[in-house]
Structures are given as structure tokens and as C-alpha cells.
């Protein structure tokens, strides 16, 4: 298993490099001179030229990209912000915790609500429970995160005054953002779980278990659900990426000082190092989550566990 984990970790390197190259090229061809952004519109040509030389902006694109990656690998250095002169690394580390916390809580909501909804829908196919579960799923997948977040804020913060409208002071501050972000995840989990459960409960071994006199509870949770979770785990990795994107949006709605707010501010001010660093950090986090999802297969699929034992 250690060999498999090492191989997957090595595969993360070209993925992150491709993301870094893509965002670096996009930022390089974005209109606007970084030196003018830093010095201001009243800077002289000589000042702009000197700053170009200091930042290495006159170097060819491959050289600048190599130096950028070298700084990340050797010093974990994402550059310096154009707007406030602070290290992008420090800004990201201060804010990433808020983003990861919202995404993680939203994933818990997605799994904790979506999977039971899918199970109930599958076990009560074509009944009112099935229709209600799928209506909730359709509702969740259809709503934009920012709109649902605003509706939650209007109802629970402005009208009822049950929850704070913004900030990160207590656990109450995370309820509305996590609920807004998790709705697409709940919908995806419910639909995938229902589909998988319907396929599994029609299998021959489920019929055999019933013929042996096992209870429906044992059949559902010991036999059906365990096998139905294999495609659900696959879906969970993709949904976490969706939740990360939703988190970046929700942070701006609820004024949470995470990477989303940082990226929006950086885009408005054309702070290229901040944008690049934040995107790369999000891609690294998503890649690590996909690795963890692969490892979860061993917990639900004995065949993959056997591959790990054989050094696969």
C-alpha cells in the first residue's frame, strides 16, 4: 500500500505543474503591466524599467516560469503581493484554514444528508418518499450558491435574526455558508446513492440473502450499501472539488476572510502573484483529496484492498 501511495503522490507533481503553467501563462498574457500596477500610473519610464529588471519581467516566459516554480519548490515562495507588499505564502496560509473548514463541513453535510436521502429514495422507489428526496436533490442542484446564500442570509440573519450575517466569530457563522455550499453536494450524493442502491438491490446475492431469511436492515446496510458505496466514493471526490468552488463564492457573500475573498480582491487589483498562488494552493488541496478518495476504496472494496496487499 505504501508503494501505491508513493506512486500517486508522484503523479500529483505533473498535475500541479500543469495547473501552475496554465495559470502562469494566463496571467502573463493578461493586459496590464505589473510594474505600473505596483508603482502607480504616475511612475516614470525609468522607474518602470528598473522594477522590470528587479522582478525579472524582461526575462523570457520559460525562464520566469522556471524561476517561479523553483521558488515554490525550494522555499515554498509564491512571490510578493503587488498591492500590499506581503508574501503571498503568508496570506494564503492565514486564509486557507477558513476555506478548508467550510469545504470540509460542507462535505460532511453532503455525505450526512445526501447518502441517507438516496437510501430512502431507493428503498421506497416511486413512492412519495422517493419523489420528495429527488425533489430536494433537484432543488439543490438547480440553485446557484451565491443566490441560495443570499436567501439564507435574508431569512435567518435579517428577518429572523437567528444567525450572524457574516464573519467567523463562532460556529454559528459557518452554518449558513456550509448549508449554501453543500446543497449541490447533497443533491449529487442523493442521486448517485439512489442509482447505485437500485442497481445493487436487484442483484442475485441480495435475492439469496433474502431467501436465507436475513432481515431487511442487515441486507440493506451490510450487503447492499457496502457495494453501492463504491461509485458513491468516486462521486465524492468530484463533489469535493465542486464544494471548493462553491466555498470560494460563499466567502464573498458572507464576508469570510478565506481564499475566495482573497482571490476576488486580487483579481480586482490585478495582483497576479496572489491569484497564481491561490489557484495553485486550491489545486494542491483538490489533488490530495482525490488521493484520499482513492485510498477510501480499500475500506469499501475488498478487491482493491487485495491489490494494496500485493503491492499494487
Amino acid at each position: 500500500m505504501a508503494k501505491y501511495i508513493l506512486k500517486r503522490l508522484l503523479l500529483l507533481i505533473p498535475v500541479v505543474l500543469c495547473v501552475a503553467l496554465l495559470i502562469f501563462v494566463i496571467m502573463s498574457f493578461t493586459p496590464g503591466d505589473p510594474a505600473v500596477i505596483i508603482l502607480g500610473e504616475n511612475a516614470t519610464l525609468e522607474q518602470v524599467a528598473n522594477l522590470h529588471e528587479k522582478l525579472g519581467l524582461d526575462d523570457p516566459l520559460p525562464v520566469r516560469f522556471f524561476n517561479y516554480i523553483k521558488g515554490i519548490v525550494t522555499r515554498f515562495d509564491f512571490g510578493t503581493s503587488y498591492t500590499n507588499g506581503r508574501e503571498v505564502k503568508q496570506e494564503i496560509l492565514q486564509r486557507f484554514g477558513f476555506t478548508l473548514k467550510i469545504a470540509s463541513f460542507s462535505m460532511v453535510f453532503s455525505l450526512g444528508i445526501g447518502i441517507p436521502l438516496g437510501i430512502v429514495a431507493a428503498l421506497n422507489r416511486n413512492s412519495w418518499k422517493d419523489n420528495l428526496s429527488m425533489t430536494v436533490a433537484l432543488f439543490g442542484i438547480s440553485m446557484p450558491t451565491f443566490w441560495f446564500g443570499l436567501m439564507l442570509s435574508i431569512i435567518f440573519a435579517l428577518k429572523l435574526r437567528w444567525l450572524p450575517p457574516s464573519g467567523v466569530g463562532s460556529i454559528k457563522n459557518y452554518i449558513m455558508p456550509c448549508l449554501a455550499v453543500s446543497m449541490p453536494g447533497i443533491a449529487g450524493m442523493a442521486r448517485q446513492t439512489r442509482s447505485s442502491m437500485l442497481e445493487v438491490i436487484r442483484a442475485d446475492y441480495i435475492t439469496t440473502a433474502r431467501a436465507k431469511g436475513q432481515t431487511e436492515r442487515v441486507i440493506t446496510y451490510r450487503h447492499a450499501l457496502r457495494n453501492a458505496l463504491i461509485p458513491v466514493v468516486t462521486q465524492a471526490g468530484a463533489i469535493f472539488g465542486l464544494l471548493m468552488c462553491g466555498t470560494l463564492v460563499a466567502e464573498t457573500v458572507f464576508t469570510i476572510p478565506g481564499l475566495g475573498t482573497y482571490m476576488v480582491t486580487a483579481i480586482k487589483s490585478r495582483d497576479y502573484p496572489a491569484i497564481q498562488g491561490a489557484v495553485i494552493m486550491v489545486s494542491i488541496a483538490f489533488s490530495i483529496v482525490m488521493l484520499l478518495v482513492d485510498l477510501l476504496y480499500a475500506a469499501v472494496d475488498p478487491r482493491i484492498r487485495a491489490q494494496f496487499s500485493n503491492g499494487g
Side-chain angles (χ1 to χ4, degrees):
M1 188 170 180
K3 182 179 178 181
Y4 176 82
I5 295 175
L6 179 60
K7 287 167 62 177
R8 289 307 308 267
L9 286 173
L10 292 176
L11 285 175
L12 295 183
I13 297 175
V15 173
V16 175
L17 280 176
C18 288
V19 172
L21 177 61
L22 182 61
I23 189 65
F24 190 87
V25 171
I26 292 175
M27 291 296 99
S28 296
F29 287 98
T30 300
D33 189 338
V36 175
I37 296 173
I38 297 172
L39 297 173
E41 297 291 340
N42 297 325
T44 64
L45 294 177
E46 182 179 358
Q47 289 174 325
V48 171
N50 290 336
L51 189 56
H52 274 199
E53 183 178 357
K54 180 181 177 180
L55 298 178
L57 297 175
D58 293 330
D59 295 333
L61 180 62
V63 174
R64 286 188 284 128
F65 179 70
F66 175 80
N67 291 333
Y68 181 70
I69 295 299
K70 180 181 177 182
I72 295 176
V73 173
T74 58
R75 305 185 305 276
F76 196 62
D77 181 13
F78 290 93
T80 303
S81 172
Y82 289 165
T83 56
N84 56 26
R86 296 187 60 186
E87 289 187 4
V88 173
K89 172 181 64 177
Q90 297 299 329
E91 296 276 1
I92 290 176
L93 292 178
Q94 289 177 4
R95 298 168 180 268
F96 185 67
F98 297 114
T99 300
L100 187 61
K101 187 180 295 185
I102 295 175
S104 300
F105 286 162
S106 300
M107 193 67 193
V108 172
F109 284 6
S110 300
L111 297 175
I113 300 175
I115 291 179
L117 273 179
I119 295 173
V120 170
L123 297 180
N124 300 275
R125 186 182 182 189
N126 297 328
S127 68
W128 68 270
K129 293 180 181 179
D130 184 18
N131 294 332
L132 179 60
S133 298
M134 290 302 98
T135 299
V136 172
L138 180 62
F139 180 73
I141 206 70
S142 303
M143 291 184 306
T145 299
F146 73 90
W147 181 86
F148 188 46
L150 289 173
M151 294 302 102
L152 290 176
S153 185
I154 291 173
I155 295 172
F156 294 104
L158 298 181
K159 300 294 185 182
L160 300 176
R161 299 184 182 277
W162 289 354
L163 297 170
S166 61
V168 289
S170 67
I171 191 65
K172 290 184 177 181
N173 293 91
Y174 291 97
I175 295 177
M176 289 193 296
C178 291
L179 186 57
V181 172
S182 65
M183 283 304 293
I186 292 172
M189 285 287 97
R191 290 160 63 93
Q192 182 63 60
T193 303
R194 179 183 183 273
S195 177
S196 300
M197 284 291 292
L198 286 175
E199 183 178 349
V200 168
I201 60 179
R202 291 194 290 262
D204 292 339
Y205 65 88
I206 298 296
T207 304
T208 303
R210 288 197 177 100
K212 290 181 177 180
Q214 294 188 0
T215 63
E216 285 297 319
R217 182 181 182 87
V218 171
I219 292 172
T220 299
Y221 295 101
R222 182 176 296 177
H223 301 293
L225 183 59
R226 190 177 184 87
N227 289 281
L229 282 179
I230 297 174
V232 173
V233 169
T234 305
Q235 182 80 354
I239 284 180
F240 186 84
L242 178 66
L243 296 181
M244 283 289 290
C245 295
T247 298
L248 301 180
V249 175
E251 287 175 358
T252 61
V253 175
F254 294 99
T255 320
I256 296 173
L259 281 185
T261 307
Y262 183 57
M263 289 176 66
V264 170
T265 303
I267 291 171
K268 289 180 179 179
S269 59
R270 294 183 180 180
D271 194 346
Y272 301 151
I275 300 171
Q276 292 168 182
V279 171
I280 292 172
M281 195 66 184
V282 170
S283 69
I284 292 173
F286 179 65
S287 299
I288 292 174
V289 168
M290 293 304 296
L291 171 61
L292 295 177
V293 167
D294 285 346
L295 297 179
L296 281 177
Y297 283 133
V300 297
D301 193 341
R303 296 169 298 179
I304 297 179
R305 208 162 43 239
Q307 292 180 6
F308 284 160
S309 300
N310 294 329

